[in-house]
Amino acid sequence: MRIDKLTSAEQVEAIAPEWDQLWRGDPNATPFQAPQWLLPWWRCFGSGTLLVHTLRNAAGALQALAPLCLLRDEEEDQSLGLLLGTGVSDYLDILSRPGVDLAPLAEAIGGSDCALFDFHQLRPSSPLLALEPPVGWSDQVEEHEPCPVIDLDSTLFEGTRLSTHFRKKLRYERRRLEREGGLSFDRPSPASLDAFLEILFQLHASRWKQRGLPGVLSDPAAQAFHREAARRMLDAGALRMYAMRAGDRLAAIFYGFAHHHTVYYYLGGFDPVLEKLSPGTVVVAHAIEQAARSGAAAFDFLRGAEGYKYAWGAANRVTRRRQWFRG
């Protein structure tokens, strides 16, 4: 096995096709570990030093990848190590082929000029949770924010998985929206994606404006990131986006991703004028139905314990934060 350390954007971009193959082949991977997501993140939010470690076999084939960066604290005269995507992503981790020994990768990471590595939102199956810390390092693990997840099957809408009251309420809300002139759902094409994203930015901002807050999509860097990442994810077949219209009025939008039989709900927005008609609930119902029809086994609401997620019968998936301390 050979470890390579990539510290420039050019080096990392050069291995993007191999990275993509590794991402598609790792059964534990999520959309947020894809190069289509993390390379735009680095361009739009990245600071400090790239530190992407790759593990290759004797034939040179990529076996594992740890996408990291180092942030320098000049006052403390030390660096903090983070996974690329930290802050706007869930379920970040090392990518690897099944059965690969990752201990050499951990030791290589431990050789970095860094005092602390801080790994967020790790799933129970995370390779980073299973790895022993490098020699000379100690660690600490604590619970992080839960992610509510629905197990999808044919009984979700037709059986007893949802309460009778909730199913009746959902049918009622759909009928009310249909009376606005009909209900329709559109998905973006490469030509219409930019328009869909503008809709997302506007509807998301409208909702947060009512609370006197700007919302997470108000920042130009965030918008630039999602424009690039969404396009790359669309090209990769991983984007799940639906715009819902009630008559001529754009009522709501769903922005999410899919990978390995799971659909992930990342963000959404709805027209505040139609709030009493619950357009947000109806567009999420559509996304869940489409996920089930496509053969997905789970629908993941990602981090946050908002009450509406549990109305769908979601159960918490535990996530953890792990820190490696030098010494």
Side-chain angles (χ1 to χ4, degrees), residues 55-204:
L55 179 66
R56 296 180 181 274
N57 63 16
L62 186 63
Q63 301 298 296
L65 180 144
L68 302 164
C69 63
L70 298 182
L71 301 180
R72 189 72 184 170
D73 186 333
E74 297 299 338
E75 290 186 6
E76 297 290 335
D77 192 27
Q78 62 183 20
S79 293
L80 167 68
L82 298 170
L83 287 158
L84 298 186
T86 297
V88 302
S89 317
D90 295 322
Y91 305 143
L92 298 171
D93 219 312
I94 291 173
L95 286 173
S96 70
R97 298 196 183 280
V100 171
D101 180 10
L102 298 177
L105 196 60
E107 292 304 320
I109 293 170
S112 306
D113 179 20
C114 184
L116 166 68
F117 282 99
D118 196 357
F119 307 125
H120 295 193
Q121 298 294 132
L122 303 177
R123 294 162 294 163
S125 60
S126 163
L128 276 170
L129 276 180
L131 272 179
E132 288 294 323
V135 174
W137 292 71
S138 59
D139 75 324
Q140 174 179 299
V141 178
E142 61 186 21
E143 286 198 7
H144 224 181
E145 290 181 89
C147 295
V149 181
I150 306 170
D151 292 326
L152 294 179
D153 59 43
S154 61
T155 69
L156 179 60
F157 287 97
E158 298 173 3
T160 58
R161 296 278 305 286
L162 300 177
S163 70
T164 301
H165 171 75
F166 188 80
R167 288 200 304 274
K168 287 181 177 179
K169 183 173 182 289
L170 182 57
R171 289 195 296 268
Y172 174 65
E173 289 161 348
R174 278 177 167 160
R175 287 196 297 268
R176 287 203 301 168
L177 284 165
E178 287 169 355
R179 286 197 291 270
E180 294 292 313
L183 202 58
S184 63
F185 299 89
D186 297 319
R187 292 188 63 177
S189 66
S192 65
L193 178 60
D194 287 339
F196 270 65
L197 288 168
E198 286 302 323
I199 292 167
L200 173 68
F201 299 154
Q202 292 170 14
L203 291 183
H204 194 267

Side-chain angles (χ1 to χ4, degrees), residues 234-299:
L234 177 65
D235 293 341
L239 181 68
R240 296 295 180 269
M241 200 168 190
Y242 307 100
M244 184 180 78
R245 292 184 179 276
D248 295 332
R249 194 180 193 102
L250 187 66
I253 194 159
F254 175 97
Y255 178 42
F257 308 99
H259 195 53
H260 289 332
H261 305 296
T262 298
V263 172
Y264 300 83
Y265 180 19
Y266 187 74
L267 276 176
F270 60 84
D271 185 343
V273 174
L274 299 175
E275 183 172 4
K276 291 183 178 180
L277 303 181
S278 302
T281 300
V282 175
V283 77
V284 169
H286 178 77
I288 293 172
E289 288 173 321
Q290 293 301 305
R293 288 184 182 133
S294 72
F299 186 92

